[in-house]
Amino acid sequence: MGGIELFTVVRVIGNNVVMVTGGKKGSEYVILGKGIGFGAKSGGTIASDDKRIEKLFRLEDQDQWSQAHHLLEEFDPQVLEITDQILNLIGQEFPGTLNDKVYLALPSHIQFTIYRIRKGMDIINPFLEETRISFPKEYDIAVRAAELISHAFHIEVPEDEIGFLTYHVYSAVSHVPVGHLVKASNVVGKLVKYIEEERKISFDRGSMDYVRLLMHLRFSVDRILNQEIHVDNPFAEQIRTKFPYEYDLATRLSAMMEQELGKKVLEAEVCFLAMHLYRLFTGRLQQKNQQPREES
C-alpha cells in the first residue's frame, strides 16, 4: 500500500487549479479541486490525500508543459478570477466533475475575447440561434458569465459571444470538445440550408417547425459522431415504401453528413430523418391550407 505523496506547487492558476511537480515519478501535474489553490503559494506543498483534490492529471511531455506555462504567464489574474466565478456557476447548475480542458480553455477564450472587444474587432457567430435553441440551460449560464465579464472589464459582451461561451459551458459539463460542437453546428446549418433550397421554403427561425427540425438534426449528428449509441428503426421498410421522396432527400442529407463528419450514417438514421421530414412537410402543408384566404 503506497504512502502519502507530496507535490510542490509551481504555479497557482486559480482557486480551483494548481500546477505542481513531484509525486513518486517526479512528474508535472495539474491538480483540480474546489478551493485547492486558495492560500497556496509557489514552493508550497500539497499532500496526495488532500480531500479537496478532485482530479490530478499529468502533462504528458515537455512541449505540453511548456505550452501550459506559456498560457499561464499570459493570463491576466483578473481573467482567472472571473473564470473561477464562471466555473462555480457551472458547478452549481451541473454538479459533477468538469472537463479538465475547461480550466485552461475558458480563460484563454475569455482573454482573447476581451482583447477583440477592446480592439473593436467584430465577433460574428453564425450558429447563435441554433446554439440558443440546442443548449438553453448552458446559454443561460453563458448570459450570466457575459455579465460577469462585462462588469469586471467595463466592456459590452455582444450576444454572438454569448453563443461561443455557451459552447465552453456545454463542453465543460459534457466533456465534448468545443471543436466537435462547432463542427456539429456547421453541419446542421448546411443541412437546413439544403432542405430550404430543395423545397424552396424558408423557415421562420422562431417557429416550432424550425426548432423541431434543428433538434432532430442536432441529435442525429451527435449520434453519428458518437456511434457507440445504437439506433434501430423497425419501420425502415415501410418508410422507404410510403415516403419515397422524403427518403430520397434523407439519403442525400445523410451523404452530406458522411462527407462532413467522416462517419458512416446507419440506414436506421436515414429512415428516422425521412419520417421526420414527412411530418415536417405534411404539417407545413396543412398549416398553409388552413390559412384564411383574402377576399377579392
Side-chain angles (χ1 to χ4, degrees):
M1 184 174 176
I4 297 172
E5 300 177 38
L6 288 179
F7 301 97
T8 300
V9 176
V10 176
R11 173 91 185 246
V12 177
I13 302 176
N15 288 337
N16 304 317
V17 192
V18 179
M19 297 184 75
V20 299
T21 59
K24 290 181 179 178
K25 297 182 179 180
S27 300
E28 298 90 1
Y29 299 87
V30 172
I31 295 179
L32 311 177
K34 190 169 184 179
I36 195 69
F38 185 74
K41 294 181 180 179
S42 296
T45 59
I46 296 175
S48 60
D49 65 345
D50 192 313
K51 297 188 182 302
R52 296 172 298 172
I53 296 177
E54 297 176 7
K55 180 85 173 178
L56 183 147
F57 62 96
R58 184 163 63 93
L59 296 169
E60 298 296 337
D61 54 44
Q62 194 60 41
D63 288 341
Q64 190 179 7
W65 180 254
S66 298
Q67 183 182 25
H69 261 297
H70 176 72
L71 274 174
L72 295 172
E73 291 298 333
E74 296 294 325
F75 285 153
D76 180 337
Q78 194 175 10
V79 168
L80 295 175
E81 184 180 337
I82 291 299
T83 300
D84 275 343
Q85 293 179 34
I86 295 171
L87 292 175
N88 285 336
L89 283 177
I90 298 172
Q92 290 167 15
E93 296 295 331
F94 294 97
T97 304
L98 300 182
N99 185 352
D100 297 342
K101 293 182 173 58
V102 73
Y103 293 94
L104 292 178
L106 183 56
S108 180
H109 177 81
I110 291 172
Q111 186 143 310
F112 186 51
T113 295
I114 294 167
Y115 171 83
R116 294 179 69 184
I117 292 173
R118 285 177 171 169
K119 291 292 183 180
M121 300 166 66
D122 289 335
I123 297 178
I124 300 172
N125 187 344
F127 315 122
L128 178 61
E129 189 63 30
E130 188 261 350
T131 302
R132 186 192 291 114
I133 291 170
S134 299
F135 313 115
K137 189 173 180 180
E138 292 84 354
Y139 184 86
D140 287 343
I141 295 173
V143 169
R144 293 156 68 189
E147 290 171 353
L148 288 172
I149 296 168
S150 296
H151 179 74
F153 296 96
H154 308 289
I155 57 176
E156 187 65 34
V157 176
E159 190 173 17
D160 288 62
E161 169 56 25
I162 293 174
F164 290 126
L165 285 171
T166 301
Y167 282 154
H168 283 274
V169 175
Y170 183 79
S171 177
V173 299
S174 69
H175 298 258
V176 174
V178 171
H180 167 120
L181 298 173
V182 174
K183 175 183 281 191
S185 294
N186 185 48
V187 172
V188 169
K190 288 182 178 180
L191 295 174
V192 172
K193 184 178 179 181
Y194 187 88
I195 293 169
E196 288 182 320
E197 290 175 349
E198 173 69 19
R199 293 286 297 195
K200 296 180 173 57
I201 58 178
S202 179
F203 292 107
D204 177 356
R205 268 28 185 185
S207 68
M208 285 307 299
D209 279 347
Y210 177 70
V211 171
R212 291 190 184 108
L213 175 61
L214 200 65
M215 296 306 291
H216 181 89
L217 293 174
R218 183 87 209 189
F219 291 144
S220 181
V221 168
D222 286 346
R223 284 193 297 268
I224 293 164
L225 285 170
N226 188 24
Q227 285 193 336
E228 64 265 23
I229 299 175
H230 178 72
V231 291
D232 187 29
N233 192 330
F235 306 108
E237 186 58 42
Q238 292 174 266
I239 291 170
R240 285 190 288 266
T241 303
K242 292 184 67 174
F243 316 130
Y245 169 74
E246 289 79 11
Y247 177 78
D248 177 66
L249 178 55
T251 301
R252 283 178 276 149
L253 292 169
S254 297
M256 289 175 60
M257 287 191 276
E258 286 189 353
Q259 183 176 2
E260 294 285 340
L261 301 174
K263 298 275 190 177
K264 175 70 176 174
V265 178
L266 301 177
E267 177 65 11
E269 197 69 63
V270 179
C271 291
F272 275 126
L273 180 54
M275 188 164 57
H276 182 83
L277 291 172
Y278 174 78
R279 290 173 178 168
L280 173 67
F281 298 148
T282 302
R284 286 179 64 88
L285 182 61
Q286 289 175 347
Q287 290 173 15
K288 185 176 180 181
N289 291 337
Q290 289 172 1
Q291 290 178 355
R293 297 182 179 179
E294 294 183 1
E295 294 182 5
S296 57

